[in-house]
């Protein structure tokens, strides 16, 4: 199994934690950019969350 396959498998098994980390990362980037690109950052985070595991586990 290649390194990339291992990372994908790990992300699939821990999708909820990956989604939480992506949310925190997006919040930090948004803060550091002075909230000038909030909409774009949210879109990027949403796409990244959809690409990991079963999809975004943080939406209500």
């Amino acid at each position: 199994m290649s390194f990339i396959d291992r990372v994908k498998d790990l992300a699939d098994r821990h999708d909820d934690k990956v989604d939480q980390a992506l949310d925190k990362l997006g919040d930090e980037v948004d803060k550091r950019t002075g909230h000038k690109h909030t909409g774009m950052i949210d879109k990027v985070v949403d796409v990244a969350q959809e690409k990991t595991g079963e999809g975004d586990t943080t939406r209500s």
Side-chain angles (χ1 to χ4, degrees), residues 15-34:
D15 188 38
D16 56 333
K17 289 180 177 37
V18 172
D19 286 350
Q20 289 172 2
L22 288 168
D23 277 336
K24 287 182 182 180
L25 178 63
D27 290 345
E28 185 63 25
V29 170
D30 192 32
K31 184 175 93 176
R32 289 185 183 207
T33 60

Side-chain angles (χ1 to χ4, degrees), residues 26-27 30-31 33-45:
D27 290 345
D30 192 32
K31 184 175 93 176
T33 60
H35 305 284
K36 293 179 183 176
H37 308 286
T38 301
M40 181 61 72
I41 292 166
D42 288 345
K43 287 179 186 178
V44 170
V45 168

Side-chain angles (χ1 to χ4, degrees), residues 3-13 53:
F3 176 74
I4 297 296
D5 291 333
R6 289 180 189 174
V7 170
K8 287 179 183 178
D9 183 54
L10 186 64
D12 286 343
R13 286 188 282 141

